[in-house]
Amino acid sequence: MRRLLPHPVVSGCLFLLWLLLNGTVEPGPALVGLVVALLGGWALALLDPGQPRLRRPGLALRLAGTVLVDVARSNLAVTRIILGLNKDRQAGFIRIPLALREPQALAVLAGILTATPGSAWVEFDAEEGWLLLHVLDVGEEEEWVRLVQDRYAQPLMEIFA
Amino acid sequence: MTVTLLSWSLLLAQLMLGAAMVCASWRVLRGPRAQDRVVGLDTAYVNATLLLITFGIRSGTSVFFEAALVIALLGFVSTAALAKFLMRGEVIE
Amino acid sequence: MMTQAAELPWFAAVPVALLLLAGAGLTLVGSLGMLRLKTFYERLHAPTLGASYGMSCILLASMIFFSVLQTRLVLHEIAIAILVLLTTPVTLMLVARAALHRDRLEQSQGVPASARRRPDGDAS
């Protein structure tokens, strides 16, 4: 089973995407999709990205919900800034210490922070674990540190533990 | 009734996306530095993808969907290559 | 023009119209940011507006439109959504790192020399 399906989640996603693009569940396209999904899984196993283990799917779903709400809120805040409704704001760089070391978890965190309009991941120092973040409206620096550490990094550490 | 509502909202949406394309293109032309132009180009690619989707809704066919998919892919590859070029001065090392 | 739209019932047409306007509006605001924001690092935030909820709204409108029109689920727009959602942060991070690298080479003002917090505490 391990040899046939080295990355079951990735293969499953590939299969679903194939069905979506074809728009049918007829046996012909589905069979081709199955072959594509298997080949994709093997190719990924050859590249050997390491086996990420998703520990707590419930927590992952809750984190996804949090991110959706946060991105919506940040969208509104950035809209106000661009339209010039928020005059007394200060853009700047913020340094945040991170205990997270898992490459997959860091990639997800980078995606979350950059996809949020108000903040952008700029650099990560892997040796000492410092993250350099650029934010559009700094406000309280402590709040940003707490937001990243407690709201995102903590759940990610539990999910990818 | 639904036709007028849809065609007017489509027209407005397309005008807004067109204006967004103009803004992004202005940043590409204006610069001032190479990285500004690259971010402008990336924005223009996303806007072009969305504009093609609205054209698809107007025509009622899925041809535009495939074009939008190709544009979205091209946008990622070209911006990634340009960013690599900015970093090192060479695309292939 | 818009011949098929006549068959669309109003309970689908209204959300499609609203989603289209909201998505295009958000994308326009994001691109306006490309003009209005002053520095490169500020402008880095602008495209995410269009690439997050702007894109989602327009793709959702397209999904509702075609699903109701063809009376079957048309979900292939999700492919574009996943693509844009995954690639935009990656490209922005790449460009940000390249810009930081170039700024450090040119020793520009207001750019941190490293991600580490220095003991002497530089302000930027």
Side-chain angles (χ1 to χ4, degrees):
Chain A
M1 199 60 198
R2 266 241 98 83
R3 284 181 62 89
L4 189 65
L5 264 178
H7 294 274
V9 179
V10 173
S11 293
C13 288
L14 267 176
F15 183 62
L16 273 181
L17 199 63
W18 184 268
L19 290 183
L20 273 181
L21 282 173
N22 276 294
T24 63
V25 281
E26 284 168 35
L31 203 64
V32 181
L34 211 59
V35 173
V36 169
L38 283 179
L39 285 179
W42 293 339
L44 195 62
L46 283 180
L47 290 173
D48 194 23
Q51 281 279 1
R53 283 159 314 193
L54 288 176
R55 280 294 162 81
R56 300 178 53 185
L59 188 62
L61 274 179
R62 211 167 61 224
L63 181 66
T66 316
V67 171
L68 272 182
V69 174
D70 285 358
V71 170
R73 226 185 267 149
S74 179
N75 263 298
L76 290 178
V78 174
T79 302
R80 283 172 55 87
I81 288 172
I82 288 174
L83 295 179
L85 299 174
N86 189 356
K87 295 276 184 223
D88 53 337
R89 55 144 195 128
Q90 188 81 44
F93 290 96
I94 288 179
R95 290 183 171 89
I96 295 170
L98 280 183
L100 210 59
R101 285 296 182 282
E102 222 79 36
Q104 284 95 2
L106 281 171
V108 175
L109 183 63
I112 291 173
L113 287 175
T114 311
T116 310
S119 57
W121 178 287
V122 180
E123 197 182 30
F124 182 66
D125 181 274
E127 271 172 42
E128 292 184 20
W130 286 100
L131 160 65
L132 188 63
L133 202 66
H134 186 270
V135 295
L136 211 44
D137 186 4
V138 175
E140 286 290 318
E141 203 172 321
E142 290 300 315
E143 243 167 72
W144 280 101
V145 174
R146 239 180 298 128
L147 176 89
V148 173
Q149 283 180 343
D150 298 350
R151 219 169 154 85
Y152 303 137
Q154 190 57 40
L156 278 175
M157 214 185 294
E158 286 174 35
I159 291 168
F160 284 95
Chain B
M1 180 58 204
T2 55
V3 179
T4 37
L5 173 70
L6 265 183
S7 60
W8 274 102
S9 59
L10 260 177
L11 184 69
L12 249 167
Q14 282 174 336
L15 283 177
M16 285 199 269
L17 287 173
M21 286 287 284
V22 171
C23 294
S25 310
W26 173 255
R27 186 48 68 193
V28 175
L29 295 175
R30 189 65 201 286
R33 299 183 64 201
Q35 51 262 47
D36 294 295
R37 295 176 209 267
V38 174
V39 175
L41 193 68
D42 191 48
T43 316
Y45 266 116
V46 174
N47 294 346
T49 309
L50 295 181
L51 199 56
L52 278 173
I53 295 284
T54 58
F55 276 119
I57 296 179
R58 184 175 284 274
S59 71
T61 63
S62 66
V63 181
F64 287 97
F65 162 77
E66 271 135 42
L69 196 58
V70 171
I71 294 281
L73 266 174
L74 272 181
F76 170 59
V77 175
S78 62
T79 316
L82 281 169
K84 184 100 178 92
F85 178 73
L86 287 184
M87 194 88 142
R88 307 261 186 216
E90 280 174 51
V91 178
I92 301 167
E93 313 182 332
Chain C
M1 192 179 79
M2 298 292 302
T3 43
Q4 307 93 335
E7 300 155 24
L8 208 68
W10 62 269
F11 66 80
V14 172
V16 166
L18 288 180
L19 281 171
L20 271 175
L21 291 179
L26 261 181
T27 313
L28 177 58
V29 169
S31 298
L32 262 180
M34 295 299 288
L35 290 187
R36 296 198 51 160
L37 298 174
K38 293 287 180 286
T39 70
F40 167 78
Y41 293 102
E42 284 181 35
R43 285 196 288 267
L44 203 57
H45 300 278
T48 25
L49 275 180
S52 56
Y53 272 73
M55 177 241 356
S56 313
C57 285
I58 290 181
L59 289 177
L60 202 61
S62 172
M63 262 153 62
I64 295 174
F65 181 82
F66 283 108
S67 295
V68 174
L69 208 61
Q70 303 176 1
T71 56
R72 66 187 181 99
L73 273 179
V74 179
L75 297 175
H76 57 202
E77 279 85 357
I78 290 180
I80 292 187
I82 293 172
L83 192 73
V84 173
L85 217 58
L86 289 183
T87 56
T88 310
V90 174
T91 51
L92 288 180
M93 264 182 275
L94 278 173
V95 177
R97 292 211 48 183
L100 195 71
H101 179 72
R102 284 165 70 97
D103 278 338
R104 278 179 189 159
L105 279 184
E106 294 165 16
Q107 292 173 337
S108 305
Q109 290 296 306
V111 178
S114 110
R116 289 178 199 183
R117 174 108 57 189
R118 291 281 158 71
D120 50 295
D122 58 341
S124 58

